[in-house]
Amino acid sequence: MHRFRFSCLIGLLSFSSWSCQKSNHQSESTTERPNIIFIMTDDHAYQAIGAYGSNLMETPNIDRLAEEGMLFDQAFVSNSICSPSRAVALTGKFSHLNGVRDNLDVFDSTQVTFPKLLQQVGYQTAIVGKWHLKSEPTGFDYWKVLPDQGHYYDPVFRTPDGIVQEEGYITDITTDLAISYLDSIREESSPFLLMYHHKAPHRQWWPSMEDLGAYMDTEIPSPATLFDSYVNRGTAAKEAEMRISEHMGLSMDNKIHPDVLQQMNLDEFMAWYESSYLERYKRLDAAEKAKWDAVYGSINVDFEENTPEGQDLTYWKYQRYMQDYLGSLKSVDRNIGRLLDYLDEQRLTDNTLVIYTSDQGFYLGEHGWFDKRFMYEPSFRTPLIMRYPPWIAAGGVNRDLVQNIDFAPTLLQIAGAEVPADMQGKSLLPLFETTKPEWRDALYYHYYEYPGIHMVKRHYGVRTDRYKLIHFYYDVDEWELYDLEKDPDELNNLYGQQGYEVIQANLHERLTQLRIQYQDTSDIQNQLWIEQDIERLKALGWY
Ligand code: SGN
Ligand code: CA
């Protein structure tokens, strides 16, 4: 059976036909076409996944997917921010073509998406959890999603019938919704696509009650660049507002009570959004508040008694940040385990493709930062693991350059559906084979949300397996070039330096080719978008 299915895959790849699968499907059972569970977390850095070699935490359940499937070690996004990544995943197209270039854009839900195409070939489709595309989900037979960012505790959900209030912790609830969809909402007569999308571990990193304090007694290792001074680069890194030292709120992010800060005359560290800490705290019920106070109360007391300063304060904030970030991930990993156990119990493991990814990477202190957005490695890369026992050999690690534009074509091909010619990604199926296929040699990237929160300048660029060329534009005109082999932390901008003339010229050429290939060449269009974006910021009173 195993071998037969695999030869089916080879047939599928060589002849671009799904007749083998289809006849299989007709003659045996309707589940021959794989079910698909697409797990996406929000801001999960590969640095915090055991299977990626994390020294920060253990993730036994996500690791299980890697042990039983394939881990992609060179997986990237095309625009490192939430709504754009989700629109790319749905459409298989870069932001400039799918219309969601930043978190303020509204997804045009009349577009062709892979869930709609799966529906057309007989899949039942569902999405639960984070959505963040503003317009109503389309292409889903069942959906229950968070409005905007949603809440960690007692979240409300959007449904076709209106807003529904839930009680409890978001990661548990999202998993309950996923399991109840599998258990009692779908029909067993046709294969399904379930998009199981977590809010965690998004800022402000509220762990579940079970995990409060889980990392309190651990000194979390810090990255070599925690105290980056931003020399030898252009202005973009220096001017970004996502430094743990300056832009992370002691109250909102690190959970020191605003009253404590006021009492200590540390108001300058509260920032404009400190009231949000109290708003979130109010969502806890009495028992939860008591538990919360027991853990965070002692942190507050300790902070008052031993208030760190200068670099010690940054280090303290990094520890606090990571304790909560990793804490909120514990629940993600545990709940994924719960879902995998359910698949085992229901004998769904062998006919369900599970894909694990995040909407982008995240800075866990690298360059002194939290957040994402830059084309630098920690936010450009994203975790990607795929498990489907009949086709994917267990424990494989792939090092080809893959990108989130590839998700839609991959899932369509796996389901035996046709991949529209205007999708820009490539199916990853050939990478499951032992013989190495022709693959891309370079990736394209374009980020737009500036001016905006965290002030990361607009930029686009190209990355090959060794080099990266980035152009920051709009209020600057600066190029950066990195040799990732010699300088994996991207601290030395080589642009214009002697000895790199040929490499630089080649990268420029490759970038121009990619811009043509992906149809992102119109300066007039780009200028128009900038003007529209600024008008929108003015209308919102943010500019
Ligand atoms: C919120 C966060 C930002 C974050 C954006 C986008 N601030 O605005 O830190 O960059 O979301 O995140 S917060 O005060 O609300 O936590 S994204 O994942 O949705 O792109
Ligand atoms: Ca995100």
Side-chain angles (χ1 to χ4, degrees), residues 19-195:
S19 57
C20 176
Q21 265 194 309
K22 197 179 173 197
S23 57
N24 204 8
H25 155 70
Q26 283 167 345
S27 62
E28 289 187 19
S29 85
T30 46
T31 51
E32 275 309 303
R33 285 184 296 166
N35 303 307
I36 299 168
I37 298 185
F38 185 154
I39 312 175
M40 187 183 268
T41 37
D42 195 343
D43 296 354
H44 192 180
Y46 58 84
Q47 307 93 298
I49 297 181
Y52 279 87
S54 180
N55 62 349
L56 303 172
M57 77 179 296
E58 289 175 359
T59 49
N61 295 294
I62 297 173
D63 296 358
R64 182 186 157 191
L65 286 173
E67 281 151 23
E68 296 171 0
M70 179 175 272
L71 179 144
F72 290 84
D73 194 47
Q74 296 289 291
F76 297 83
V77 294
S78 40
N79 179 2
S80 179
I81 178 169
C82 189
S83 311
S85 270
R86 288 159 206 274
V88 168
L90 287 172
T91 61
K93 294 177 184 169
F94 278 91
S95 309
H96 60 280
L97 295 189
N98 71 42
V100 181
R101 292 173 302 105
D102 62 30
N103 275 349
L104 293 176
D105 286 327
V106 179
F107 183 65
D108 168 8
S109 58
T110 64
Q111 291 183 77
V112 172
T113 62
F114 85 84
K116 286 184 189 171
L117 297 172
L118 288 184
Q119 275 183 326
Q120 283 175 18
V121 296
Y123 271 70
Q124 302 165 72
T125 60
I127 180 163
V128 296
K130 179 109 181 221
W131 168 247
H132 206 195
L133 286 168
K134 296 187 176 59
S135 53
E136 207 162 85
T138 54
F140 296 100
D141 302 311
Y142 174 82
W143 55 270
K144 190 160 175 179
V145 298
L146 296 171
D148 195 42
Q149 299 282 7
H151 283 284
Y152 274 105
Y153 281 90
D154 290 359
V156 297
F157 281 84
R158 290 169 75 186
T159 75
D161 306 319
I163 295 288
V164 177
Q165 173 74 58
E166 295 288 349
E167 258 177 49
Y169 184 68
I170 186 68
T171 309
D172 298 328
I173 296 170
T174 307
T175 310
D176 291 345
L177 290 174
I179 292 176
S180 84
Y181 171 75
L182 296 177
D183 215 43
S184 52
I185 299 173
R186 75 181 172 107
E187 281 165 17
E188 289 191 15
S189 54
S190 51
F192 64 82
L193 158 75
L194 169 62
M195 308 210 6

Side-chain angles (χ1 to χ4, degrees), residues 180-231:
S180 84
Y181 171 75
L182 296 177
D183 215 43
S184 52
I185 299 173
R186 75 181 172 107
E187 281 165 17
E188 289 191 15
S189 54
S190 51
F192 64 82
L193 158 75
L194 169 62
M195 308 210 6
Y196 162 51
H197 288 194
H198 286 288
K199 169 185 171 61
H202 193 274
R203 194 181 183 192
Q204 292 98 9
W205 319 297
W206 281 54
S208 108
M209 284 296 142
E210 281 169 86
D211 303 315
L212 291 187
Y215 290 93
M216 293 310 171
D217 300 323
T218 314
E219 183 167 0
I220 318 277
S222 56
T225 58
L226 182 62
F227 298 107
D228 194 350
S229 55
Y230 312 111
V231 292

Side-chain angles (χ1 to χ4, degrees), residues 300-317:
N300 275 256
V301 170
D302 183 57
F303 182 76
E304 257 190 288
E305 285 173 2
N306 308 298
T307 316
E309 283 175 21
Q311 283 206 344
D312 291 344
L313 178 60
T314 303
Y315 187 76
W316 180 91
K317 288 172 83 177

